[in-house]
Amino acid sequence: MNPIRLKLMKGGKEGELIAQGWTKQTTIGEPRLSEIVDNYRSMGYEVHVIEHPLDPSGATCTSCFSVGAEIGQTCADIYTRPRGHAKALADDLF
């Protein structure tokens, strides 16, 4: 079974991460966020997490995560890449 890949942005911070070999896996909140990060690390991946505070005012669409917004919970994007990828990119430059 193949995972469904998310549509990725071409520019900005996400574009920089993609250019560095990162793959966006999901956006999720706690308690699953920590579990997923630990699982990817235990499988040998480098993991990069970008947290996003939730907006309890409802000014932005966060309906999937709105339950915890009132108590200050965050959601986060999880990016992964194979361990040692940064070294491999540096080696390719020379």
Side-chain angles (χ1 to χ4, degrees):
M1 192 162 137
N2 294 327
I4 299 171
R5 293 285 173 212
L6 301 171
K7 182 174 175 146
L8 303 175
M9 304 272 299
K10 298 278 187 220
K13 179 68 175 170
E14 189 167 338
E16 291 173 23
L17 290 170
I18 292 167
Q20 295 170 8
W22 294 98
T23 301
K24 185 174 185 178
Q25 299 297 343
T26 192
T27 300
I28 197 163
E30 291 294 354
R32 299 292 301 173
L33 172 63
S34 296
E35 293 173 12
I36 291 171
V37 167
D38 289 343
N39 286 337
Y40 276 117
R41 286 187 177 139
S42 71
M43 291 187 297
Y45 287 93
E46 290 182 64
V47 179
H48 183 72
V49 177
I50 300 177
E51 291 190 8
H52 307 284
L54 299 175
D55 182 3
S57 71
T60 58
C61 180
T62 58
S63 59
C64 296
F65 304 103
S66 63
V67 175
E70 293 80 21
I71 59 173
Q73 283 186 334
T74 61
C75 64
D77 298 329
I78 299 174
Y79 292 83
T80 63
R81 69 180 177 189
R83 190 166 308 281
H85 185 76
K87 182 181 182 315
L89 282 177
D91 290 345
D92 289 344
L93 295 176
F94 300 102

